[in-house]
Amino acid sequence: MKLNLKIWRQENRDSSGKMTDYQLNEVSEHMSFLEMIDLLNETLIQKGERVIEFDHDCREGICGQCGVMINGQAHGPLANTTTCQLHMRSFKDGDTIYIEPFRAASFPILRDLKIDRSGFDRIIQAGGFITTSTGQAPEANSIPISHQIAENAFDSAACIGCGACVATCKNSSAALFTSAKITHMALLPQGKLEAATRVANMISQMDAEGFGHCSNTEACEVECPQAISVLNIARMNYEYNKSMLFKP
Amino acid sequence: MRLDAKIPLGPLADKWNNYKQHAKLVNPANRKKLDIIVVGTGLAGASCAASLAEQGYNVKSFCFQDTARRAHSVAAQGGINAAKNYKNDGDSVYRMFYDTIKGGDFRSREANVYRLAECSAALIDQAVSQGVPFAREYGGYLNNRSFGGVQVSRTFYARGQTGQQLLLGAYQALMRQEHLGKVKTYTRHEMLELVVVDGKARGIITRDLLTGKIERYAANAVVLATGGYGKVYYLSTLAMGCNSSAIWRTHKKGALMSGVSWIQFHPTSLPQSGEHQSKLTLMSESLRNDGRIWVPSKADDTRAPKDIPETERDYYLERRYPAFGNLSPRDIASRAAKERIDAGCGVGPMKNSVCLDFSKAISEQGKDKIREKYSNLFSMYEKITGINAYEQPMLISPAAHFTMGGLWVDYQLMTTIPGLFALGEANFADHGANRLGANSLLQACVDGYFIAPYTIPDYLAGELHTVKIDTDHPAFIEAENSVKKQLDQLLNINGHLSADYYHKALGKLLYNKCGLSRSKTSLLSAIKEIKELRASFYQDLKITGDNQVNSELEKAGRVADYLELGELMCYDALTREESCGAHFREEYQTADGEAVRNDRDFCFVSAWEWKGYDQVQELHKEPLIFENVDLTIRSYK
Ligand SMILES: Cc1cc2nc3c(=O)[nH]c(=O)nc-3n(C[C@H](O)[C@H](O)[C@H](O)COP(=O)(O)OP(=O)(O)OC[C@H]3O[C@@H](n4cnc5c(N)ncnc54)[C@H](O)[C@@H]3O)c2cc1C
Ligand code: SF4
Ligand code: FES
């Protein structure tokens, strides 16, 4: 099929960018979205032009590194699907496709479609872990966890850190990402003692990074490739209020 | 060069304890003075970096992704083995050791494999304490299942995302240490050279992938946990960024490479569907529990698989391996598929696939039951191929997956360069000529959490009096210059063909000539063609863009290394005149197509020493001595 592509090009963090037009004539419906960009890049190399930079690695929907806005939607039109798992059969011959980076003040653009999501790492550093050291952990079965709790914890732990929730949120809030980690840990018996400091520290780091507040639009859940539920945000708020109430 | 594996004395079951009890320690006050570089943030790297930082060393952690959490360990699906014997089904450390040694076709070291099994139980404890949400029974205790080629349930899993959850545990431990100031992470940094001073590893040269800046980092020890190089085949189950550069460049600085041609092909990957394709997606092997594998009985059958009647189907695994059937080990299942595809019985648009058929399972158990077990895999399959596998057979084919080869290391995981350690998939140890499912995550974790934290301090204890190395040292300057020179060279070739073009060409060549099966003729011609391809690369490569963010420049450097590594793979395969594990030499097979191993002449680890460009590398042999097991023939008939 033939496609008209409008792609964001930007030299670096400090420069201003613009949409640029490209045409591709031989796109197969079996290609993944990123393979379509590979094909475009191959044509750019032949023309001697700099290729379009984009982030990706696993190309199987699990590493969280890919992700662009496609026609205004984070990761494109399919529900619960990362950009790398989107295939061209979702588009038709003659379509015009707008491709832009995830946009948020806390995710600066590095070049073209590549962005800086290191704010997420700093939120985890602030408390997104259980304080256990290597080597002398107790026997695993000495901490029974019911099947349902383990499954629920997993639902939250499944976040891949892609940032689509931030990009799609009108406030650029990182609430879904942060709350997923808080919920994962809050459900488990391990690390319970540090639950209050964890939630307080992670939320204050989220604010320090400049992510916006959650105003319950729930757009994040819709765009999340891992179907992380907004109930996580409710849980985060509950944990936060609890930590404030019982502050020593 | 004499290869000393430094295996501790004593009975197998006591070796690791003996080692630990005698390993040298570093006084806590001195640990703060010691710097360690860990390249790689996968399970091996993140766990090692976090554990050493907990002990009080200063750790610098590097990866090329935008965050440590995206290392390729994140993609592992199936599970992780541990001899916990929770099911009371007779599992034990010894049994796990035996299964692993046998699975590797008796081409790994007894002592290493025993240690792997021995440390496995504590690893599950460690992961659970970090909050890894492993599957649980209704009563709250850990659940597990059995996995390819073994008769006990020892595989722990977190849905189909075990690698992701284990990695997040290690990543979080790493982030905790970063917060405490004991780790400094350098993301989007690619290590391009090792710095050796007075014969010891003393630092690395990296390229900042955002600014293009070449940087120098010094340390008292360098750890490579940079993963596998299966992406050398271009089409593989690995992430796009996986590469061999870190280990290859240290190889050229004197570290030996072992078992390079031992590459596992995974039997249940999605097939290549066209020339545009960039990778092959793995479908969980668990599908083989219910899916039956077949091809049309006659060659060049043009009917759609669902139109081929039962009587005209060849269930070749069930036919050839009645005892294990569709659950035959990976190397056997992959090779049997290739044999049928080569015979012209392959299906699909490119005639490169076999059918994985659920119709019998659906008719016996009902669609709902199958949906309950595999729905996520069926929907992933549909997302990628557009085909509904409840209604017609899935098409699958073997894909390059896991590299058993890597840097040669001794029992302490130290390479032949003192102070340079290699962990996880980057080293050759533990899996022999074939890896059993769910053992790799385990090896990466055990290397990083439990082994390196003993062996690296043992080395460092001897380094306390070495003067601190300054990054102005001539060795750093020289290493930096050689990196810059190579980058300039690549940027200035100004030919016509992209790095991907060369990568694909090399991959296809290796797949056909040094892939699932090899012969003397195919390997000799591959060596010749790789040389030609390499010559063309240096004349006709084209990189556009500048010396800052430039994915083409990154790729080109990796492909340059693959073009050298590919040749060594062929030499390695050529010298090993036997069939063992994943290495199938066509000249060494029985009349009915089974592998013939040669223990008399090839019971050794090949270790190659770099001798310079266009020189044949030198083969060193580390004999494998088996004191505890008999070398039996692996039979799955
Ligand atoms: C699809 C798939 C499924 C799998 N499923 C299973 C399974 O179910 N069970 C199992 O046991 N095993 C499985 N495996 C194998 C297993 O996942 C890997 O062998 C293991 O995770 C490797 O871990 P690692 O820490 O050695 O390397 P990786 O996780 O690959 O990490 C490599 C690290 O090195 C860094 N790096 C590499 N080169 C450089 C450089 N030059 N400079 C800077 N950084 C660098 C990368 O950035 C990354 O951080 C699977 C593999 C794949 C591909
Ligand atoms: S919550 Fe969902 S959208 Fe947000 S980072 Fe995690 S996986 Fe991505
Ligand atoms: S590339 Fe890994 S999730 Fe898309």
Side-chain angles (χ1 to χ4, degrees):
Chain A
M1 51 179 145
K2 282 193 174 51
L3 294 175
N4 302 306
L5 303 170
K6 293 183 181 295
I7 304 181
W8 185 261
R9 303 293 314 250
Q10 176 171 336
E11 274 304 301
N12 54 44
R13 218 180 257 258
D14 306 318
S15 59
S16 57
K18 64 173 194 323
M19 296 302 276
T20 309
D21 290 342
Y22 298 94
Q23 262 232 322
L24 264 187
N25 294 331
E26 283 170 42
V27 176
S28 143
E29 59 164 18
H30 296 298
M31 283 180 179
S32 71
F33 196 82
L34 299 183
E35 284 163 355
M36 184 272 294
I37 304 183
D38 289 342
L39 180 70
L40 174 62
N41 278 345
E42 192 65 47
T43 67
L44 294 181
I45 296 173
Q46 292 317 320
K47 285 195 265 179
E49 291 175 26
R50 180 168 80 66
V51 300
I52 294 153
E53 293 293 343
F54 61 102
D55 263 328
H56 64 106
D57 198 17
C58 73
R59 296 203 175 185
E60 43 184 90
I62 187 78
C63 75
Q65 179 134 334
C66 65
V68 290
M69 299 303 277
I70 301 169
N71 292 336
Q73 278 182 296
H75 292 300
L78 295 188
N80 310 137
T81 305
T82 53
T83 304
C84 58
Q85 290 289 83
L86 175 67
H87 283 69
M88 297 312 290
R89 67 181 70 86
S90 293
F91 300 88
K92 318 186 289 300
D93 188 36
D95 272 359
T96 298
I97 308 176
Y98 289 80
I99 308 172
E100 293 167 84
F102 281 175
R103 291 182 194 278
S106 311
F107 285 170
I109 294 175
L110 300 170
R111 180 170 261 188
D112 301 339
L113 306 171
K114 267 188 202 271
I115 54 166
D116 178 353
R117 283 167 287 198
S118 52
F120 274 8
D121 285 333
R122 290 186 292 271
I123 294 176
I124 299 295
Q125 284 160 24
F129 48 76
I130 289 169
T131 306
T132 175
S133 295
T134 296
Q136 304 306 324
E139 206 318 304
N141 262 350
S142 66
I143 322 169
I145 302 171
S146 80
H147 174 78
Q148 205 46 54
I149 300 270
E151 293 298 304
N152 293 348
F154 189 102
D155 285 341
S156 301
C159 162
I160 57 176
C162 64
C165 46
V166 174
T168 202
C169 172
K170 62 180 177 3
N171 311 320
S172 298
S173 162
L176 196 62
F177 168 82
T178 310
S179 67
K181 187 49 61 191
I182 286 170
T183 306
H184 163 207
M185 309 225 136
L187 289 173
L188 298 173
Q190 305 93 308
K192 263 272 185 294
L193 288 179
E194 57 188 332
T197 37
R198 172 183 306 124
V199 67
N201 291 347
M202 287 179 78
I203 288 182
S204 91
Q205 187 63 34
M206 183 170 84
D207 295 341
E209 293 291 333
F211 291 104
H213 283 282
C214 169
S215 53
N216 293 324
T217 319
E218 303 190 2
C220 51
E221 178 180 308
V222 179
E223 301 284 348
C224 172
Q226 294 295 87
I228 303 289
S229 155
V230 288
L231 290 177
N232 285 280
I233 301 180
R235 176 92 201 194
M236 173 169 80
N237 292 336
Y238 164 76
E239 293 289 330
Y240 186 74
N241 292 336
K242 196 166 69 171
S243 80
M244 290 299 137
L245 224 59
F246 296 108
K247 212 170 180 169
Chain B
M1 180 181 296
R2 204 181 72 83
L3 288 172
D4 181 2
K6 303 206 194 99
I7 295 170
L9 295 173
L12 191 59
D14 298 339
K15 286 183 192 293
W16 180 230
N17 265 333
N18 285 347
Y19 178 88
K20 287 194 287 188
Q21 279 157 18
H22 296 104
K24 292 196 268 317
L25 298 175
V26 178
N27 170 335
N30 284 332
R31 295 181 200 162
K32 322 196 234 305
K33 299 182 204 148
L34 292 165
D35 300 315
I36 302 168
I37 285 172
V38 181
V39 187
T41 60
L43 278 169
S47 58
C48 172
S51 304
L52 289 167
E54 285 163 15
Q55 293 183 3
Y57 300 96
N58 306 312
V59 179
K60 294 190 179 75
S61 155
F62 294 82
C63 71
F64 61 70
Q65 287 93 351
D66 70 333
T67 146
R69 63 182 287 153
R70 308 213 206 278
H72 193 50
S73 294
V74 79
Q77 303 169 347
I80 180 162
N81 285 339
K84 278 279 198 188
N85 196 27
Y86 280 162
K87 290 267 156 93
N88 199 26
D89 56 2
D91 202 7
S92 65
V93 170
Y94 184 85
R95 198 179 290 278
M96 180 166 168
F97 152 76
Y98 184 77
D99 287 341
T100 303
I101 279 270
K102 177 182 172 207
D105 221 354
F106 303 96
R107 290 292 175 267
S108 38
R109 283 186 201 132
E110 281 189 339
N112 282 58
V113 175
Y114 194 90
R115 177 174 65 182
L116 179 74
E118 186 180 343
C119 295
S120 66
L123 189 269
I124 299 299
D125 302 340
Q126 169 75 20
V128 166
S129 80
Q130 289 174 338
V132 172
F134 282 123
R136 297 273 172 167
E137 309 259 19
Y138 283 89
Y141 295 109
L142 286 151
N143 202 350
N144 54 17
R145 58 186 173 198
S146 75
F147 211 70
V150 297
Q151 288 160 316
V152 293
S153 280
R154 67 162 74 102
T155 308
F156 293 78
Y157 61 100
R159 290 196 196 146
Q161 280 126 290
T162 316
Q164 176 195 36
Q165 291 308 315
L166 286 166
L167 183 64
L168 289 180
Y171 155 79
Q172 286 162 197
L174 185 72
M175 291 298 105
R176 174 177 159 234
Q177 294 302 319
E178 168 106 28
H179 194 62
L180 295 171
K182 290 310 289 178
V183 169
K184 170 104 185 73
T185 49
Y186 298 84
T187 58
R188 295 201 199 259
H189 273 65
E190 184 159 19
M191 168 194 166
L192 293 179
E193 193 57 281
L194 177 78
V195 180
V196 179
V197 178
D198 297 332
K200 290 180 179 167
R202 300 310 302 262
I204 61 172
I205 306 291
T206 63
R207 178 169 184 273
D208 180 330
L209 302 181
L210 294 180
T211 60
K213 208 166 153 251
I214 306 298
E215 295 166 350
R216 307 174 193 173
Y217 296 95
N220 301 81
V222 176
V223 181
L224 299 186
T226 53
Y229 53 82
K231 193 76 196 162
V232 67
Y233 290 90
Y234 191 73
L235 286 176
S236 79
T237 62
L238 275 78
M240 300 303 287
C242 290
N243 67 84
S244 67
S245 290
I247 58 174
W248 188 252
R249 290 173 189 206
T250 58
H251 173 57
K252 288 164 80 171
K253 283 262 163 131
L256 303 198
M257 287 277 285
S258 276
V260 249
S261 65
W262 289 342
I263 296 193
Q264 181 167 79
F265 282 73
H266 199 292
T268 58
S269 149
L270 297 189
Q272 183 184 6
S273 65
E275 289 305 322
H276 55 79
Q277 204 148 344
S278 56
K279 75 160 293 189
L280 300 174
T281 302
L282 187 72
M283 295 294 279
S284 168
E285 229 172 350
S286 62
L287 289 169
R288 292 202 277 154
N289 285 318
D290 284 302
R292 294 178 73 200
I293 295 176
W294 61 271
V295 290
S297 310
K298 21 176 235 302
D300 302 319
D301 198 325
T302 50
R303 290 172 291 179
K306 65 176 179 359
D307 299 332
I308 299 178
E310 190 65 27
T311 49
E312 293 173 47
R313 299 176 177 186
D314 175 13
Y315 293 90
Y316 58 89
L317 285 176
E318 298 170 30
R319 167 170 60 77
R320 284 180 66 178
Y321 307 100
F324 280 72
N326 295 302
L327 292 173
S328 306
R330 290 178 182 178
D331 55 331
I332 308 257
S334 297
R335 208 148 51 229
K338 178 178 182 344
E339 192 272 331
R340 284 293 81 199
I341 290 168
D342 289 349
C345 298
V347 294
M350 296 182 73
K351 298 269 167 227
N352 59 353
S353 331
V354 301
C355 299
L356 178 63
D357 195 332
F358 290 86
S359 56
K360 183 154 182 271
I362 289 174
S363 72
E364 283 172 6
Q365 303 170 37
K367 198 166 164 179
D368 287 344
K369 188 82 201 162
I370 296 300
R371 194 191 302 277
E372 187 190 313
K373 286 198 220 170
Y374 307 113
S375 76
N376 59 333
L377 294 166
F378 278 56
S379 54
M380 175 170 112
Y381 184 76
E382 186 159 6
K383 228 175 236 177
I384 296 173
T385 63
I387 294 170
N388 178 345
Y390 294 103
E391 269 141 38
Q392 41 184 309
M394 280 185 185
L395 300 188
I396 54 162
S397 81
H401 178 58
F402 177 84
T403 43
M404 278 76 72
L407 287 173
W408 184 91
V409 287
D410 61 20
Y411 187 76
Q412 310 182 78
L413 307 184
M414 188 151 85
T415 67
T416 44
I417 299 178
L420 178 69
F421 294 79
L423 272 50
E425 203 177 330
N427 73 27
F428 88 103
D430 298 10
H431 305 296
N434 184 38
R435 169 174 72 91
L436 283 186
N439 262 352
S440 174
L441 291 178
L442 175 66
Q443 186 223 340
C445 290
V446 161
D447 283 3
Y449 283 120
F450 300 138
I451 300 173
Y454 282 92
T455 62
I456 293 176
D458 179 80
Y459 169 79
L460 290 175
E463 287 299 299
L464 289 170
H465 302 295
T466 314
V467 277
K468 209 151 179 99
I469 299 284
D470 187 0
T471 51
D472 290 334
H473 189 283
F476 273 92
I477 297 170
E478 192 198 310
E480 176 174 324
N481 287 342
S482 85
V483 165
K484 285 186 169 153
K485 204 170 121 204
Q486 193 219 17
L487 293 168
D488 284 344
Q489 181 192 15
L490 294 173
L491 274 169
N492 292 324
I493 295 175
N494 249 320
H496 304 90
L497 299 166
S498 65
D500 274 348
Y501 166 86
Y502 285 100
H503 195 171
K504 286 180 188 174
L506 174 69
K508 198 175 266 177
L509 199 164
L510 286 174
Y511 183 79
N512 290 328
K513 301 189 168 174
C514 185
L516 272 161
S517 77
R518 306 93 192 260
S519 69
K520 184 173 179 185
T521 332
S522 77
L523 291 166
L524 286 173
S525 92
I527 292 171
K528 187 168 153 280
E529 285 177 49
I530 293 173
K531 282 194 181 12
E532 289 162 7
L533 197 62
R534 203 162 56 221
S536 157
F537 177 84
Y538 286 104
Q539 273 161 16
D540 224 358
L541 173 74
K542 184 178 180 101
I543 299 176
T544 56
D546 53 25
N547 195 2
Q548 294 167 36
V549 177
N550 190 344
S551 45
E552 289 303 309
L553 181 59
E554 293 165 30
K555 281 188 215 167
R558 296 168 189 167
V559 173
D561 294 330
Y562 278 147
L563 284 164
E564 292 172 9
L565 168 76
E567 186 174 335
L568 181 62
M569 282 165 59
C570 295
Y571 273 111
D572 188 49
L574 187 65
T575 49
R576 195 163 273 281
E577 296 178 322
E578 63 162 351
S579 293
C580 64
H583 170 64
F584 188 76
R585 273 287 295 267
E586 288 157 19
E587 300 92 327
Y588 307 96
Q589 56 177 308
T590 61
D592 54 353
E594 300 307 325
V596 176
R597 206 177 63 214
N598 176 349
D599 293 329
R600 200 185 48 139
D601 301 317
F602 293 97
C603 200
F604 62 78
V605 171
S606 330
W608 295 90
E609 184 184 351
W610 174 259
K611 288 283 169 184
Y613 274 105
D614 285 323
Q615 301 288 316
V616 176
Q617 305 198 21
E618 187 180 341
L619 175 62
H620 301 273
K621 297 176 183 176
E622 180 205 329
L624 289 167
I625 297 152
F626 293 90
E627 291 170 343
N628 300 277
V629 298
D630 293 329
L631 278 63
T632 55
I633 293 174
R634 271 173 84 221
S635 169
Y636 296 90
K637 291 255 173 203

